[in-house]
């Protein structure tokens, strides 16, 4: 059986639908217990500020805390660190209150945008298959044959949602920095058709 195989990609920019705010907290002390205590207090302060922005506890994810040793000017210190993340829809009215809360924390944080709506990927897959079919028909016509039944489709999803990230500069222009950029998605398929 003769076949024709075409690999085709479809790409498009989609508006981001989710804002992810990430804080990385760390404290250094000579004593282990002081580092852990200081980190716990800082984490609690951030959580209180986010609760003040009306975020529910299930919307805030605290990464596991860890303590390691570092050497500064020949002295061994204990460094306790953790990560706190919150996700909100870009249309959620609490978003700017959450940004304000993070600014008030005095901790450096990053803001990223992602696309959670999987219908965008489905749209691109359909578009890629249509484009592959059109390319196969063009090649078949130029070769004096016709495209027959679809025999095989190869597709690998990488699963990772792309993000657009920004580090917040801790200034009053949070609103301007909060405008989400488009997220570029791309899907690739390889289709193989029988030729007649």
């Amino acid at each position: 059986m003769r076949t024709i195989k075409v690999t085709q990609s479809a790409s498009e920019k989609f508006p981001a639908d989710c804002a992810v705010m990430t804080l990385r907290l760390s404290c250094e002390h000579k004593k282990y217990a002081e580092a852990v205590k200081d980190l716990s207090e800082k984490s609690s302060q951030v959580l209180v500020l986010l609760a003040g922005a009306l975020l529910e506890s299930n919307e805030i994810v605290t990464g596991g805390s860890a303590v390691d040793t570092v050497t500064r000017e020949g002295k061994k210190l204990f460094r306790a660190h953790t990560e706190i993340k919150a996700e909100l829809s870009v249309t959620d009215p609490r978003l700017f209150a959450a940004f304000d809360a993070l600014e008030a924390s005095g901790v450096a944080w990053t803001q990223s945008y992602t696309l959670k709506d999987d219908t965008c990927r489905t749209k691109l897959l359909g578009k890629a298959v249509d484009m592959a079919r059109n390319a196969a028909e063009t090649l078949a016509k130029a070769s004096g044959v016709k495209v027959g039944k679809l025999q095989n489709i190869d597709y690998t999803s990488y699963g990772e949602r792309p993000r657009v990230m920004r580090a917040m500069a801790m200034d009053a222009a949070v609103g301007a920095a909060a405008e989400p950029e488009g997220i570029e998605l791309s899907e690739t398929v390889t289709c193989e058709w029988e030729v007649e």
Side-chain angles (χ1 to χ4, degrees):
M1 171 177 44
R2 296 181 305 160
T3 63
I4 186 169
K5 186 186 283 190
V6 177
T7 299
Q8 187 66 53
S9 295
S11 299
E12 193 172 326
K13 261 192 175 178
F14 295 93
D17 60 8
C18 179
V20 181
M21 297 149 282
T22 306
L23 292 95
R24 288 179 182 82
L25 301 170
S26 67
C27 306
E28 292 181 6
H29 287 281
K30 292 178 186 176
K31 295 184 179 178
Y32 179 93
E34 287 181 24
V36 171
K37 180 182 175 194
D38 194 17
L39 181 67
S40 176
E41 289 172 0
K42 284 184 177 180
S43 296
S44 294
Q45 289 169 358
V46 169
L47 294 174
V48 166
L49 288 168
L50 288 172
L54 303 179
L55 270 72
E56 302 292 329
S57 58
N58 64 345
E59 295 173 310
I60 303 167
V61 177
T62 303
S65 297
V67 179
D68 47 32
T69 57
V70 294
T71 304
R72 303 267 189 250
E73 298 175 5
K75 295 181 182 178
K76 178 178 152 184
L77 298 172
F78 293 97
R79 180 168 91 55
H81 51 95
T82 192
E83 182 177 271
I84 298 173
K85 282 189 177 187
E87 289 188 11
L88 289 174
S89 166
V90 296
T91 59
D92 192 310
R94 302 171 298 161
L95 186 60
F96 287 102
F99 290 162
D100 290 342
L102 294 174
E103 286 298 308
S105 74
V107 176
W109 57 286
T110 59
Q111 158 196 356
S112 60
Y113 292 100
T114 188
L115 188 61
K116 286 196 156 192
D117 182 2
D118 283 334
T119 59
C120 299
R121 289 195 181 276
T122 303
K123 176 184 174 185
L124 284 179
L125 284 172
K127 187 175 177 181
V129 170
D130 289 345
M131 291 168 67
R133 175 74 186 206
N134 289 339
E137 288 173 350
T138 299
L139 292 168
K141 184 177 179 181
S143 302
V145 294
K146 291 184 179 180
V147 174
K149 291 182 180 178
L150 180 66
Q151 298 298 310
N152 188 35
I153 296 180
D154 288 329
Y155 165 69
T156 303
S157 175
Y158 296 100
E160 181 76 20
R161 286 184 162 79
R163 294 182 184 266
V164 175
M165 186 165 280
R166 286 199 168 98
M168 298 311 293
M170 303 259 257
D171 60 23
V174 176
E179 186 65 32
E181 297 175 22
I183 305 281
E184 180 84 27
L185 293 182
S186 181
E187 293 292 345
T188 302
V189 296
T190 300
C191 301
E192 186 172 12
W193 287 273
E194 186 179 321
V195 291
E196 304 167 344

